[in-house]
Amino acid sequence: MKAEQDRMPPASEEEGERPLLLPTTPGETTNTLIHYYRGELGRMTSWRDRIDRTSNWAITVVAALLSVSLSTPTSHHGVLVFGMMLITLLLMIEARRYRFFDIYRARVRQIERSYFAQILAPDPKRGTEWAAVIAGSLRHPRFLLSYGEAMHRRLKRNYGWMYFILLLAWCLKISTPKLQTEGVPTLQAQSWTYVIDNAVLGPIPGLAVIAAVVAFYVGMLCFALRPDRDEGEFGHGEAHV
């Protein structure tokens, strides 16, 4: 009976389980870390590419709407208002993607700053707590930026200029009666009443449309000018996206 029990495989082997083999030498540990770094770099690059695609969509939308609105005297200024709404939607999508990108960027920067930089130029003041930070992030992944912080960052770096261009085009559209009309000189509105009448959007009065656009841009300006959060160990430094 004992001999038969000795020939029986352990319970873990019957279930197909194998003991976890961890690196046991410094060389194996370094090799594992290098492969892990390459994997995180690939994921970071993938999310960065998604962010760039959203920015390219936004730039294309702005260029197309400007071309439609300013090149045709009969086009309605509502096209530009619609563009403001569409750019806001793309900003929200990009902020979501940026939150995922920031997770992998932070891990990559931790390895570069605390491991590879130590190999090239050792700093005795730096400890090994960076490994625990990355391990904690791998065990319990979490976002490092809130949704509002991600929108704030992308608004300051990219989308603020798009909003500004759309605002200038919208002001030009509602204040210029004969914009790009062949054979007719460009004239500016002579009265505030004309601007209000020209800003009418369907059943919405022109004054309400102007008030809504002004309130929207004042809110965006206050949102963009708020101070940045101190990121501490995950600080992006001067070279960042």
Side-chain angles (χ1 to χ4, degrees):
M1 178 66 69
K2 186 176 185 304
E4 292 179 357
Q5 293 178 351
D6 292 340
R7 288 196 299 269
M8 293 178 61
S12 61
E13 294 184 8
E14 288 181 349
E15 298 173 0
E17 297 179 358
R18 293 292 185 272
L20 180 62
L21 299 178
L22 298 175
T24 57
T25 64
E28 291 178 350
T29 301
T30 300
N31 190 42
T32 301
L33 184 60
I34 291 174
H35 284 291
Y36 167 71
Y37 171 76
R38 293 175 63 185
E40 291 290 358
L41 190 63
R43 288 198 286 186
M44 184 192 75
T45 304
S46 174
W47 280 102
R48 174 61 205 227
D49 180 65
R50 296 183 185 184
I51 293 173
D52 290 340
R53 289 183 186 180
T54 313
S55 298
N56 291 338
W57 293 344
I59 294 173
T60 303
V61 166
V62 171
L65 294 181
L66 289 177
S67 176
V68 170
S69 179
L70 301 182
S71 63
T72 307
T74 57
S75 64
H76 198 270
H77 73 93
V79 174
L80 297 173
V81 176
F82 172 75
M84 298 173 190
M85 298 170 60
L86 189 56
I87 292 302
T88 303
L89 175 61
L90 291 173
L91 173 60
M92 296 171 63
I93 295 174
E94 185 163 324
R96 175 185 175 275
R97 294 180 174 183
Y98 188 83
R99 295 181 75 195
F100 284 96
F101 162 80
D102 189 63
I103 297 174
Y104 307 119
R105 181 196 63 85
R107 292 177 184 173
V108 168
R109 287 296 299 127
Q110 281 277 11
I111 298 175
E112 291 176 344
R113 184 169 56 246
S114 303
Y115 183 76
F116 292 113
Q118 283 291 91
I119 295 176
L120 298 174
D123 183 2
K125 296 180 181 180
R126 280 200 171 272
T128 59
E129 66 278 358
W130 63 273
V133 173
I134 295 179
S137 178
L138 292 174
R139 290 191 175 99
H140 305 286
R142 62 182 182 86
F143 291 114
L144 304 177
L145 290 175
S146 67
Y147 198 85
E149 290 169 340
M151 285 189 63
H152 174 247
R153 186 172 294 181
R154 302 313 296 164
L155 176 63
K156 287 183 62 177
R157 296 175 187 170
N158 278 5
Y159 284 77
W161 294 106
M162 300 183 205
Y163 280 118
F164 181 67
I165 292 172
L166 284 175
L167 178 62
L168 290 180
W170 181 76
C171 292
L172 180 63
K173 189 67 178 178
I174 65 174
S175 63
T176 307
K178 300 295 183 182
L179 183 63
Q180 295 295 330
T181 302
E182 186 177 355
V184 178
T186 301
L187 301 174
Q188 298 299 320
Q190 300 298 321
S191 66
W192 177 246
T193 303
Y194 174 84
V195 174
I196 295 177
D197 292 339
N198 203 28
V200 172
L201 189 61
I204 305 176
L207 190 60
V209 174
I210 294 175
V213 172
V214 171
F216 174 78
Y217 272 87
V218 169
M220 280 292 184
L221 182 62
C222 294
F223 182 67
L225 294 180
R226 73 176 190 175
D228 290 321
R229 177 175 65 91
D230 182 13
E231 295 180 299
E233 181 64 24
F234 287 97
H236 48 63
E238 295 182 359
H240 54 83
V241 295

